[in-house]
Amino acid sequence: MTTPHLPRRLRRPAWAGRNYTLLTAAAVITGLGSSGALIASAFAVLEAGGSGTDVGLVAAARTVPLVLFLLVGGAVADRLPRHRVMVAANVLNCVSQAAFAVLVLTGNAQLWQMALLAALGGTGQAFFSPAAEGMVLATVTGEQASRAFAFFRMGMNGAGIGGAALGGAMVAAVGPGWVLAVDAAAFAVAGALRAFLDVSGVPERAPGSGLLHDLREGWREVAGRPWLWAVVVQFAVVNAVVAAAEAVYGPQVAQDHLGGPRPWGLALAAFGAGTVVGAVLMARWKPDRLLLTGALCVFPLALPSAALAVPVGVGVLFAVMFVSGIAIEVFAVSWMTTLHQEIPEEKFSRVSAYDWLGSIALVPLATALAGPAEQVMGRSSALWACSALIVLLTLAVLLVPDIRRMRRRPPATGEGRPVPPQDRLKEPSGGTGDGAAAPS
């Protein structure tokens, strides 16, 4: 018997091979769990009698290990098989979230315990993130990189919609403990999927010149590109103030003015819906000036903090979150496409680690100081300050010539070759720092 052909709209694109599909499915699953867990952890602290400052301290505890271990994680991901690094990180996240869930469900959670488990989760993320960014784009040809990353982000952000909405509803209905348990299960399933990646075509890694040498090579890649370090510095502050607004002030505004966790979860879901729309847009649109397009889309990130400062009604907040979601997705795809175009593939994870480090370096400080800042300035003034910083830094970044002038380049010769039938990952031979970009 012959197998009937699927309708065209149901077929998997030719460029989306087995590994790309497994990676995307795993990201969707963890996205569902993590979006709800972000809400659950904040309300777990509040239900345990914690204050806004305590919420910020637990959020900071998750981010501190990211700052400490991201560079090491990037170097490790350029040395070891990236899929193994990702699976090990998923196991650590699963265990830490499961323990967090048990403590909350049994009513025995104390602040120091929640902070410690959040720190373990952050450690897993420090090793996972640089490896993950190097993996996804390694499964497709260069000419499909932008589209593939847009579809990947679309899946992640679609999961964010469902996860945030479902997480907020579950926190309100059954409490935060069960949401944390779901997140632990999601990490277990995602780790299992990533363990099934086909790495039969991955060459053995050549011995490197040492961890410090690898980190210096990555730093030289960053420091030698003004457009790169300018955006990293910009987002060090932008991400910090956004984290303070969403992780500390947002739940409090929701509790005081919006009706509790459910509307806040729906507001985060509206942001996720915007990111899906942005991903759909970027799957079809290929702006010529990648960095300029991305930079202009940072301005709308000032809107959520301003909306919380007023505070606006639920409907207006949903609209603001939706618009900011579209904007950040356009930035994210433009940024990742630029990195893929400009950074040598064998150094990609190290550069990604510096990018991540800059992006989260100030987040622990911002979330830890959000509570004291609220006491000194008032919540509304602190939120207006967050918006002002985003606008001023984005204006400053637009002064960098490369950001205004850099253009999209066509794929280099050889990048348009088809991916092998096995969809094998084409990882670099090692972090030796000795060559130009390998085709990916």
Side-chain angles (χ1 to χ4, degrees), residues 147-246:
R147 179 178 297 177
F149 190 67
F151 275 104
F152 176 79
R153 295 276 301 182
M154 194 186 308
M156 286 181 58
N157 296 327
I161 299 171
L166 183 61
M170 286 184 65
V171 169
V174 298
W178 289 108
V179 181
L180 294 168
V182 169
D183 190 34
F187 277 117
V189 174
L193 288 175
R194 290 171 175 128
F196 282 104
L197 290 168
D198 179 7
V199 294
S200 57
V202 178
E204 293 292 328
R205 295 294 184 89
S209 302
L211 182 63
L212 291 179
H213 175 270
D214 289 350
L215 293 177
R216 286 195 297 269
E217 286 290 324
W219 172 249
R220 280 194 285 268
E221 290 293 326
V222 175
R225 293 175 166 84
W227 61 266
L228 178 52
W229 60 256
V231 174
V232 170
V233 170
Q234 174 197 20
F235 269 83
V237 179
V238 169
N239 285 341
V241 298
V242 168
E246 293 192 357

Side-chain angles (χ1 to χ4, degrees), residues 314-362:
V314 172
V316 176
L317 180 61
F318 288 0
V320 164
M321 296 291 280
F322 180 77
V323 170
S324 62
I326 295 175
I328 193 58
E329 194 62 22
V330 174
F331 168 83
V333 176
S334 298
W335 178 246
M336 187 54 61
T337 303
T338 301
L339 291 180
H340 186 64
Q341 171 179 291
E342 300 292 329
I343 304 301
E345 202 278 343
E346 70 273 9
K347 301 174 184 177
F348 195 90
S349 287
R350 278 167 284 173
V351 171
S352 175
Y354 278 104
D355 179 21
W356 269 90
L357 177 63
S359 296
I360 55 88
L362 298 180

Side-chain angles (χ1 to χ4, degrees), residues 375-425:
Q375 295 174 2
V376 173
M377 304 169 58
R379 187 187 302 163
S380 180
S381 296
L383 284 163
W384 281 119
C386 291
S387 293
L389 282 171
I390 293 172
V391 172
L392 291 174
L393 283 165
T394 305
L395 289 171
V397 161
L398 288 171
L399 298 176
V400 179
D402 284 345
I403 289 178
R404 301 193 308 272
R405 299 172 185 168
M406 185 180 293
R407 295 180 179 274
R408 181 190 297 269
R409 294 200 304 266
T413 303
E415 283 188 323
R417 67 189 184 282
V419 178
Q422 303 93 330
D423 182 40
R424 292 171 180 169
L425 296 169

